Coordinates of all heavy atoms in Angstrom, one line a residue:
C53 N -7.1 -11.5 2.4 CA -7.2 -12.4 3.6 C -8.3 -11.9 4.5 O -9.1 -12.7 5.0 CB -5.9 -12.5 4.3 SG -4.6 -13.4 3.4
W54 N -8.3 -10.6 4.8 CA -9.3 -10.0 5.6 C -10.7 -10.1 5.1 O -11.6 -10.5 5.8 CB -8.9 -8.5 5.8 CG -9.8 -7.7 6.6 CD1 -9.8 -7.5 8.0 CD2 -11.0 -6.9 6.1 NE1 -10.9 -6.6 8.3 CE2 -11.6 -6.3 7.2 CE3 -11.5 -6.7 4.9 CZ2 -12.7 -5.5 7.1 CZ3 -12.6 -5.9 4.7 CH2 -13.2 -5.3 5.8
F64 N -9.4 -13.2 11.1 CA -8.2 -12.7 10.3 C -7.1 -12.4 11.3 O -7.3 -11.7 12.3 CB -8.5 -11.5 9.5 CG -7.3 -10.8 8.9 CD1 -6.5 -11.5 8.0 CD2 -7.0 -9.5 9.2 CE1 -5.4 -10.8 7.4 CE2 -5.9 -8.8 8.6 CZ -5.1 -9.5 7.7
M88 N -1.8 -1.2 8.5 CA -3.0 -2.0 8.7 C -4.1 -1.2 9.3 O -5.3 -1.2 9.0 CB -2.6 -3.2 9.6 CG -1.7 -4.2 8.9 SD -2.4 -5.1 7.6 CE -3.4 -6.2 8.5
R150 N 24.3 -35.3 2.1 CA 25.5 -36.0 2.6 C 25.4 -36.3 4.1 O 26.0 -37.3 4.6 CB 26.8 -35.3 2.3 CG 26.9 -33.9 2.9 CD 28.1 -33.1 2.5 NE 28.1 -32.9 1.1 CZ 29.1 -32.3 0.4 NH1 30.2 -31.8 1.1 NH2 29.1 -32.1 -0.9
P163 N 30.7 -35.7 13.2 CA 30.5 -34.3 13.5 C 31.8 -33.6 14.0 O 32.5 -34.2 14.8 CB 29.5 -34.4 14.7 CG 28.8 -35.7 14.5 CD 29.8 -36.6 14.0
P210 N 14.2 -20.7 13.5 CA 13.6 -21.5 12.4 C 13.7 -20.7 11.1 O 13.8 -19.5 11.1 CB 12.1 -21.6 12.8 CG 11.9 -20.4 13.7 CD 13.2 -20.2 14.4
D233 N 4.7 -15.8 -5.5 CA 6.1 -16.1 -5.3 C 6.4 -17.2 -4.3 O 7.5 -17.7 -4.1 CB 6.9 -14.8 -4.9 CG 6.3 -14.1 -3.7 OD1 5.0 -14.3 -3.5 OD2 7.0 -13.5 -2.9
N237 N 7.4 -22.8 -2.6 CA 7.6 -23.3 -1.2 C 6.5 -24.2 -0.8 O 6.7 -25.0 0.2 CB 7.5 -22.0 -0.3 CG 8.7 -21.1 -0.5 OD1 9.8 -21.6 -0.7 ND2 8.5 -19.8 -0.4
V276 N 5.4 2.0 -3.3 CA 5.9 2.7 -2.1 C 5.1 2.2 -0.9 O 4.2 1.4 -1.0 CB 5.9 4.2 -2.2 CG1 6.8 4.7 -3.4 CG2 4.5 4.7 -2.5
K320 N -12.7 -17.6 -6.2 CA -12.8 -18.1 -7.5 C -12.8 -17.1 -8.6 O -12.5 -17.4 -9.8 CB -14.0 -19.0 -7.7 CG -15.4 -18.2 -7.5 CD -16.5 -19.2 -7.6 CE -17.9 -18.4 -7.4 NZ -19.0 -19.4 -7.5
I322 N -10.6 -14.5 -8.5 CA -9.2 -14.0 -8.6 C -8.6 -14.4 -9.9 O -8.6 -15.6 -10.3 CB -8.4 -14.4 -7.4 CG1 -8.9 -13.8 -6.1 CG2 -6.9 -14.0 -7.6 CD1 -8.2 -14.3 -4.9
G335 N -5.8 7.6 -8.8 CA -6.1 9.0 -8.6 C -7.6 9.3 -9.0 O -8.2 10.1 -8.3
M342 N -13.5 11.4 -2.8 CA -13.4 12.7 -2.2 C -14.7 13.5 -2.5 O -15.2 14.3 -1.6 CB -12.2 13.5 -2.8 CG -10.9 13.0 -2.2 SD -9.4 14.0 -2.7 CE -9.8 15.6 -2.0
D346 N -17.7 13.7 3.3 CA -18.2 14.9 4.1 C -17.1 16.0 4.2 O -15.9 15.7 4.4 CB -18.5 14.4 5.5 CG -19.1 15.5 6.3 OD1 -20.3 15.9 6.1 OD2 -18.4 16.1 7.2
M354 N -7.2 17.9 5.6 CA -6.5 19.0 4.9 C -5.6 19.8 5.8 O -4.5 20.3 5.4 CB -7.4 19.9 4.2 CG -6.8 21.0 3.4 SD -8.0 22.0 2.5 CE -8.9 22.8 3.8
P356 N -3.3 19.3 8.3 CA -1.9 19.1 8.4 C -1.1 19.6 7.2 O 0.0 20.1 7.3 CB -1.7 17.6 8.6 CG -3.1 17.2 9.2 CD -4.1 18.1 8.5
K379 N -13.2 20.8 -3.8 CA -13.0 19.3 -3.8 C -13.4 18.7 -5.2 O -12.9 17.6 -5.5 CB -13.7 18.6 -2.7 CG -15.3 18.6 -2.8 CD -15.8 17.8 -1.6 CE -17.3 17.6 -1.7 NZ -17.8 16.8 -0.6
H409 N -1.0 39.8 -17.6 CA -2.3 40.2 -17.3 C -2.4 41.6 -16.7 O -3.5 42.2 -16.7 CB -3.0 39.2 -16.2 CG -3.1 37.8 -16.8 ND1 -4.0 37.5 -17.8 CD2 -2.4 36.7 -16.4 CE1 -3.9 36.2 -18.0 NE2 -3.0 35.7 -17.2
W430 N -21.1 42.1 1.2 CA -20.0 41.1 0.8 C -20.7 39.7 0.6 O -20.7 38.9 1.6 CB -18.9 41.1 1.8 CG -17.7 40.4 1.2 CD1 -17.2 39.1 1.4 CD2 -16.8 40.9 0.2 NE1 -16.1 38.9 0.7 CE2 -15.8 39.9 -0.1 CE3 -16.7 42.2 -0.5 CZ2 -14.8 40.1 -1.0 CZ3 -15.7 42.4 -1.4 CH2 -14.8 41.4 -1.7
A433 N -23.2 37.1 -4.9 CA -24.1 37.7 -5.9 C -23.7 39.2 -6.1 O -23.6 39.7 -7.2 CB -25.5 37.6 -5.5
A438 N -21.0 43.6 -9.2 CA -20.1 44.7 -9.3 C -19.1 44.4 -10.5 O -18.8 45.4 -11.2 CB -19.3 44.8 -8.0
K449 N -14.4 42.7 -22.2 CA -14.9 41.4 -22.1 C -14.6 40.9 -20.7 O -13.6 41.3 -20.1 CB -14.3 40.5 -23.1 CG -14.7 40.8 -24.6 CD -14.2 39.8 -25.5 CE -14.7 40.1 -26.9 NZ -14.1 39.1 -27.9
T467 N -8.5 29.3 -10.8 CA -9.2 29.1 -9.5 C -10.7 28.7 -9.8 O -11.1 28.8 -10.9 CB -9.2 30.4 -8.6 OG1 -10.0 31.4 -9.3 CG2 -7.8 30.9 -8.5
P468 N -11.4 28.4 -8.8 CA -12.9 28.2 -9.0 C -13.4 29.6 -9.4 O -12.7 30.6 -9.5 CB -13.4 27.8 -7.6 CG -12.2 27.2 -6.9 CD -11.0 27.9 -7.4
E475 N -15.5 35.9 -2.4 CA -16.4 35.9 -1.2 C -15.7 35.2 0.0 O -15.8 35.6 1.1 CB -17.7 35.2 -1.6 CG -18.7 35.1 -0.4 CD -19.9 34.3 -0.7 OE1 -19.7 33.3 -1.5 OE2 -20.9 34.6 -0.2
L488 N -2.2 46.2 -3.1 CA -0.7 45.9 -3.2 C -0.3 45.6 -4.6 O 0.7 46.1 -5.1 CB -0.4 44.7 -2.3 CG 1.0 44.3 -2.2 CD1 1.9 45.3 -1.6 CD2 1.2 43.0 -1.4
F493 N 1.0 47.5 -11.7 CA 0.4 47.8 -13.0 C 1.2 48.9 -13.7 O 1.6 49.9 -13.0 CB -1.1 48.2 -12.8 CG -2.0 47.0 -12.9 CD1 -2.1 46.2 -11.8 CD2 -2.8 46.8 -14.0 CE1 -3.0 45.1 -11.8 CE2 -3.7 45.7 -14.0 CZ -3.8 44.9 -12.9

Side-chain angles (χ1 to χ4, degrees):
C53 291
W54 176 89
F64 169 62
M88 295 289 286
R150 63 184 62 181
D233 54 330
N237 292 324
V276 294
K320 66 183 179 182
I322 294 176
M342 286 185 63
D346 183 75
M354 180 179 69
K379 72 177 186 178
H409 299 292
W430 197 256
K449 291 185 177 180
T467 68
E475 180 188 33
L488 183 64
F493 272 74

